[in-house]
Amino acid sequence: ESVDWSVADSVFELVVRWNPDAFTVQGADHSESVTGAWVSPAYFSTPGWEPALGRIFAPGEYTESGAVVVISDALWTRLFGRDPAVIGRAIRVQSMESAEGAGLATVVGILPPDTWRANWMADVLRPQPAGLPARFPMRARLQRGMSVEEAEQRLNALVLPQFGHVDPGYRVSI
């Protein structure tokens, strides 16, 4: 049974979620299987990340037809020879886990080489379509003025009842 983690959003000012995935990416002369993630809208804004080249995802791109991609500096180097003309180019990207991730996607941004990502080896970031089941928060900022203790109490009141019967010692913690 799944848990609706979106109920926890009231505890946080900003919530970042990502769903890991693997992708096959067609480069200039060969394909490569890489790791990546579907990321929520706050993924870039929460830590204040900007791409080294291009842009991040626009709000309207978090849809099932959001065929855009931000790639790592390492993937840009390996598959595209650091060609800046890759920005705006449609490349073939195939998700290993989701039918929504198949087909052509336009490269809109390239991350700086030292940017921490969802998974330190993530080479492909895709916008997570709105309306997909909410995953648990991976990184979040508490509401201003809320203590960690208060946030944990609220999370436990909102989330634990969804689990059904669990060990009484189990708690959600921050």
Side-chain angles (χ1 to χ4, degrees):
E1 197 169 315
S2 67
V3 172
D4 178 8
W5 284 94
S6 67
V7 299
D9 289 358
S10 64
V11 175
F12 303 107
E13 184 177 320
L14 288 170
V15 177
V16 178
R17 294 178 177 84
W18 60 84
N19 296 325
D21 199 347
F23 298 90
T24 299
V25 180
Q26 176 66 48
D29 59 358
H30 69 282
S31 294
E32 187 173 324
S33 293
V34 299
T35 59
W38 298 86
V39 300
S40 67
Y43 182 85
F44 298 100
S45 62
T46 299
W49 291 331
E50 294 292 330
L53 194 60
R55 63 175 177 82
I56 60 172
F57 305 131
E61 293 172 333
Y62 290 90
T63 65
E64 288 184 29
S65 60
V68 291
V69 63
V70 170
I71 62 174
S72 71
D73 180 80
L75 184 67
W76 180 43
T77 301
R78 288 191 314 269
L79 281 185
F80 305 104
R82 301 186 70 76
D83 181 0
V86 75
I87 298 293
R89 183 185 307 163
I91 61 172
R92 185 154 305 281
V93 179
Q94 173 66 52
S95 166
M96 302 289 195
E97 298 180 19
S98 171
E100 288 87 14
L104 294 176
T106 301
V107 178
V108 297
I110 299 166
L111 293 174
D114 59 348
T115 302
W116 181 87
R117 297 173 300 279
N119 171 335
W120 68 273
M121 298 182 299
D123 282 316
V124 171
L125 297 175
R126 301 286 308 266
Q128 181 177 348
L132 282 183
R135 304 289 187 211
F136 62 93
M138 300 292 226
R139 185 173 55 226
R141 183 181 308 148
L142 287 177
Q143 293 284 352
R144 294 186 194 283
M146 184 178 294
S147 70
V148 170
E149 295 78 20
E150 179 185 356
E152 287 179 344
Q153 288 172 356
R154 288 181 63 187
L155 283 175
N156 282 295
L158 294 167
V159 175
L160 284 183
Q162 296 182 58
F163 284 107
H165 181 65
V166 295
D167 182 308
Y170 182 79
R171 295 285 179 262
V172 177
S173 64
I174 298 175

